[in-house]
């Protein structure tokens, strides 16, 4: 999961840079714009996370911290005019960049739970 989050943060950073340059083409290894199956996305994500984990070895946490810091720093530089720019989104075609932070927060929350539930067997989701 941590390798996946590092890969995702790096990908978000790359796609934001692309959007700022007006480039809506798919990043390397990603499908062209248009409908994609959830299974193919999941399989591709899993393979990229495994590859990332193998390439960074025991530096997986520092790799995530670095990628996350770069993404956060980039997002702090964006002005109000940047958030309305279109960005590549494989299954939807394009959408405004303003949705990128929401997706990143969802990734961190969901996969944070994935990690925590393995490390803390007593962890549970709040009824609220």
């Amino acid at each position: 999961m941590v390798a996946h989050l590092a890969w995702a943060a790096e990908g978000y950073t790359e796609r934001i840079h692309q959007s700022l340059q007006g480039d809506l083409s798919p990043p390397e290894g990603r499908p062209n714009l248009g409908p994609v199956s959830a299974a193919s996305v999941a399989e591709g994500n899993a393979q990229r996370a495994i590859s990332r984990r193998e390439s960074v070895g025991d530096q997986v946490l520092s790799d995530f911290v670095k990628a996350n810091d770069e993404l956060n720093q980039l997002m702090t530089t964006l002005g109000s005019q940047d958030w309305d720019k279109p960005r590549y989104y494989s299954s939807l075609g394009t959408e405004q960049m303003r949705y990128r932070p929401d997706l990143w927060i969802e990734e961190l929350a969901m996969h944070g739970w994935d990690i925590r539930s393995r490390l803390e067997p007593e962890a549970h989701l709040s009824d609220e």
Side-chain angles (χ1 to χ4, degrees):
M1 283 290 93
V2 177
H4 165 75
L5 288 170
W7 163 78
E10 190 174 82
Y12 284 14
T13 299
E14 289 171 7
R15 285 188 291 288
I16 289 171
H17 280 296
Q18 278 185 280
S19 294
L20 293 172
Q21 297 168 5
D23 180 0
L24 300 178
S25 64
E28 186 176 330
R30 301 299 298 211
N32 289 324
L33 298 175
V36 295
S37 74
S40 68
V41 171
E43 178 62 28
N45 286 348
Q47 291 305 315
R48 283 184 285 278
I50 290 167
S51 176
R52 181 74 172 235
R53 174 66 176 96
E54 290 171 351
S55 72
V56 298
D58 64 355
Q59 300 300 310
V60 69
L61 182 58
S62 62
D63 182 52
F64 162 72
V65 169
K66 179 180 179 275
N68 189 57
D69 285 350
E70 289 174 5
L71 175 59
N72 288 334
Q73 288 172 10
L74 174 59
M75 284 197 282
T76 65
T77 68
L78 299 177
S80 59
Q81 73 284 0
D82 296 321
W83 293 107
D84 289 330
K85 291 183 177 178
R87 69 171 184 89
Y88 165 87
Y89 193 78
S90 60
S91 61
L92 298 176
T94 62
E95 68 177 12
Q96 293 173 326
M97 253 200 316
R98 73 177 67 250
Y99 300 108
R100 180 56 52 192
D102 292 356
L103 290 173
W104 184 237
I105 291 168
E106 288 174 17
E107 289 268 1
L108 291 173
M110 177 175 51
H111 296 312
W113 169 252
D114 292 335
I115 294 165
R116 191 169 27 270
S117 68
R118 297 283 294 173
L119 299 174
E120 302 170 16
E122 299 300 317
H124 66 281
L125 293 175
S126 166
D127 291 337
E128 295 177 25

